[in-house]
Each structure stands twice: as structure tokens, then as C-alpha cells.
Amino acid sequence: MTWATWTGWGLDGFTNQMFPLALSGIIAAFGLTTAQGGLATSCALISSAVGGVAGGRLADRFGRVQVLVLVIAAYALFTGLTATAQNFEQLLLWRTLEGFFFGAEWPVGAALMAEYATPERRGRALAWVQSAWAVGWAGANLAYLLSHLWLPDTVAWRVMFVTGILPALVALLIRRKLRDVPAIKVERKPRERGAFAELFSPGLRKHTVLGTLFGATGLGSTYAMQTWIPLYLKEERGLSVSDTAMYIWFMIAGNWLGYVLGGRLHDRIGRRWAFTVFYLGTALFGFLFMAVPLDAPWYNLLLAFVVGFFISAQASGKGALFTELFPARVRGTGAGVTYNVGRGAAAFSPALIGWAAAGTGLGTAIATVVMVCTALTLLFIWLLPETKGRVLD
């Protein structure tokens, strides 16, 4: 079951990180502006918020595995169709639909994995599954390098999206024998209130609102770093494409280790303290990474590794937290709302940095957004209950 869910997150990392790498070729192929490229990114993130809510609700109603297989199949379809786009409008359509099913996959897989894991190991179990994101990111980087070795930019990006179908097919094959946890009761009696009404009932309203705010500010910090660091290295630090790629490889390596080890700390010291350590670490080492002179290359590469570690270590606990906040009958819906509505709100973080960079410089804009988001994230996590070791119904 673990490997079956692991492949889903690997697919997420592969296809999601593929688009930024392919964006320069897409802009060249269609003659787009940078603003139009940013619009395609934002549309995918916003539609993923809608997809996350819908996917979680469907998983609560019809079962985790059945919905998960449907989502993966649709995800693969629209990834492949992106390669066929002939103009900006078609690209926007396929990206928006792909984003919808990308968002739908997360809460379904998180709920399924959380219900299989034991309470004392839930954090590390979900963190291990999420480590597949780093593997998928590495696969996207490799696909980018190989496709651009032999093909022009205007063609290579299409080949990249065609390859995005392959990991989806692997995920579907692995998940054929997957089953829901037997004790799960996903059917709802006619007289019961709706799932969304229950999320905002007195007993769960605090969890829903604060969880969504925590998701939004936490992902806002993550998007600020992951979206703009490559351009910052190239434009403000003057690095070449190959040197920038080297920094990204080190960041990916730290990313994978952060997922694997971060979950263990979440299980050992609790969600609140673990998130506090990891978000403060992201901000601190992120600032150092952007400030250290380039005449110390190995020190900079080490900092890239550490930044990647802390970014993923904070993310490693979210699957456990968001599923532990809600009972089984609305667990998928609750995880979908808190994570994906938060992701939709956080989609404005990169746009805000791009707007502010014109006046303050890119490095200052990134640092300001990270600082504000980190402060708010720590406030929200300490207003939420500690869920370490919670037994799920």
C-alpha cells in the first residue's frame, strides 16, 4: 500500500515540476509573454484548490481507492494532452484540467495512507510517501536535460509532457489491488448534515479555518522559495544555466532527505514543535543562501541542500496533520479543503513577489514574503491542537 501511494506523489512531483522547466520552450513556441506564462501556472494552482476539495468529498462518499484510480487516469490524460496544445488557449485549458486532478490526488492519497498507518508512526509513514515528490522532481529535471540535448526548445517541451504519461501508467498498475481500510464507512445517512456544513459546525470550524490559514501561509513560503530561486540565481547572482541546474540538484537531494527524516521528528516531538523548527529553519537558511557571496561555491551548494531539506521537512508533516484534524466521515473533504484551498490562496505568493520585485529587487521581495508567511504560519500552528499520536476512527 505504501508503494502504491508513493507512486502517486512521485507523479505529482514529476508533472508539477516539469512545467517550470518547460516554460521557456513553451514561451518560445507560442510567442507568449512572461505574464501569460505566469497565468498558466496560476490557473493550474487555483484549479488544484477546487480539485482538492472535490476529490476529498468524492473519496468520503465513494471510497478512497476508487476515486484515486480515476484521478490518476485523468491526470495522465491531461498531462499528455498538454503536449498537443497548438496555442495559448489550448495550453491554458489542458493546464487547468491537469491542475484540477493534480489537486484531487493529494487528499485522497493522504486519507488512505493515514488510515492504514499506526498512530505512533503516522508522521513518518506519510512523510516517506511524500518523499516521492523529490524523486519525481529529479525525474523531471532529468527529462528536461535529456530532451534538450537533442531537440530544440520549441519541440523538447512536448516530448517532456508525453513522458509524463509513463509514471501515471506505473501508478495505475501498482494500485490495481489496493483496497480501502475495511472499517471505513463512507456512506452517509440521509438525515445527516452535508460534509461541508459539518466542516464548519461548532466542533470542526476551528480546525477547518485555522488549518486552511496554516496551509495558505505555509505554502506561500514554500512557493516563494521554489518558484523564484532559479531565476534569482540566474538573474541577480549571474549564474549560468548549468550552474543553476547544479544548485537545483543539491536542493533536490536535500528535499528527499527532509521528507524521510522530517516525518520521524514529527512523530517524536509532535506536530507543533516540528513545524516550528522546520519553518524557522527554512527562513533562516533561505536568507543565508541568498546572502552568501558566490566566491564560496561549495558553501552555497551546502546551503542549497539545507534549504531543500527544511522545505520538504515542513511539508512532511502536513499529510498527517490535515488528516488527524477530522473524523473519517469528512476526513478526505477536510484534508482537501485545508490543504488545497490553502494552496489556491498561496498561488498569489509568486505573483506578489513578481510585482514587488520591480521596486525592491527579487531577493528582497522573496525575503519579505518568506518572513511574513513564516510568522503567520507559526501563529496558526500553535492555535491548532497537537495531534501527535491521535487514534483515527
Side-chain angles (χ1 to χ4, degrees):
M1 200 282 300
T2 301
W3 285 107
T5 313
W6 189 91
T7 58
W9 262 290
L11 171 65
D12 285 357
F14 186 88
T15 54
N16 191 65
Q17 295 300 117
M18 189 189 302
F19 189 75
L21 294 168
L23 189 55
S24 61
I26 293 172
I27 289 175
F30 296 144
L32 306 181
T33 64
T34 305
Q36 287 175 309
L39 177 62
T41 302
S42 295
C43 283
L45 288 173
I46 293 170
S47 67
S48 73
V50 180
V53 175
R57 182 68 193 98
L58 291 172
D60 286 336
R61 188 172 183 86
F62 300 108
R64 319 301 190 209
V65 174
Q66 183 177 350
V67 175
L68 202 57
V69 171
L70 174 64
V71 165
I72 291 292
Y75 197 0
L77 172 65
F78 293 115
T79 297
L81 286 174
T82 302
T84 70
Q86 299 301 308
N87 51 50
F88 178 64
E89 290 74 22
Q90 291 180 17
L91 176 73
L92 208 60
L93 174 63
W94 302 138
R95 286 294 299 163
T96 301
L97 292 171
E98 182 190 13
F100 178 88
F101 289 102
F102 164 73
E105 198 274 342
W106 190 90
V108 184
L112 179 65
M113 187 66 193
E115 288 159 353
Y116 266 101
T118 58
E120 65 275 8
R121 297 178 62 87
R122 188 177 298 120
R124 72 192 72 178
L126 274 100
W128 165 253
V129 169
Q130 288 180 278
S131 71
W133 176 279
V135 178
W137 187 4
N141 207 27
L142 182 62
Y144 167 74
L145 292 173
L146 293 178
S147 63
H148 284 72
L149 280 177
W150 298 289
L151 298 170
D153 286 356
T154 53
V155 177
W157 69 270
R158 296 185 186 275
V159 175
M160 290 176 65
F161 281 102
V162 171
T163 62
I165 300 174
L166 299 178
L169 295 177
V170 173
L172 287 172
L173 288 172
I174 292 177
R175 294 179 185 209
R176 285 182 305 169
K177 297 182 179 180
L178 204 59
R179 297 291 182 268
D180 284 323
V181 177
I184 285 288
K185 301 296 183 184
V186 295
E187 294 183 357
R188 184 178 298 277
K189 296 179 181 179
R191 292 185 179 181
E192 289 183 341
R193 72 176 76 193
F196 294 108
E198 185 168 355
L199 288 180
F200 291 94
S201 65
L204 293 178
R205 184 187 304 126
K206 177 182 176 181
H207 294 179
T208 303
V209 173
L210 289 177
T212 302
L213 292 172
F214 170 77
T217 55
L219 287 169
S221 169
T222 301
Y223 290 157
M225 298 291 292
Q226 287 188 329
T227 302
W228 291 108
I229 282 295
L231 185 63
Y232 172 79
L233 291 172
K234 186 177 179 181
E235 298 295 332
E236 294 205 5
R237 305 303 291 271
L239 294 181
S240 65
V241 173
S242 58
D243 287 339
T244 301
M246 178 63 72
Y247 278 86
I248 293 175
W249 280 118
F250 271 77
M251 194 169 287
I252 290 172
N255 200 253
W256 182 82
L257 189 64
Y259 278 122
V260 174
L261 298 183
R264 293 182 176 275
L265 194 62
H266 277 281
D267 283 337
R268 183 175 293 274
I269 68 175
R271 314 300 184 225
R272 285 172 165 177
W273 278 111
F275 279 122
T276 300
V277 170
F278 292 142
Y279 273 104
L280 286 176
T282 300
L284 173 62
F285 288 101
F287 295 155
L288 287 175
F289 176 67
M290 292 189 292
V292 171
L294 288 177
D295 56 4
W298 283 106
Y299 187 56
N300 276 275
L301 290 172
L302 177 61
L303 283 173
F305 178 90
V306 174
V307 170
F309 174 88
F310 277 103
I311 286 176
S312 60
Q314 38 157 288
S316 67
K318 290 179 181 176
L321 174 69
F322 290 145
T323 53
E324 289 165 343
L325 289 174
F326 303 100
R329 60 187 177 275
V330 292
R331 182 166 296 131
T333 308
V337 168
T338 49
Y339 185 80
N340 285 286
V341 172
R343 175 158 55 184
F348 294 98
S349 168
L352 177 62
I353 291 173
W355 171 79
T360 64
L362 186 56
T364 302
I366 294 172
T368 302
V369 170
V370 169
M371 179 176 63
V372 173
C373 286
T374 299
L376 291 173
T377 301
L378 297 183
L379 170 65
F380 295 138
I381 191 57
W382 281 94
L383 291 175
L384 283 165
E386 175 57 65
T387 61
K388 172 191 172 186
R390 179 168 292 182
V391 178
L392 300 185
D393 59 315

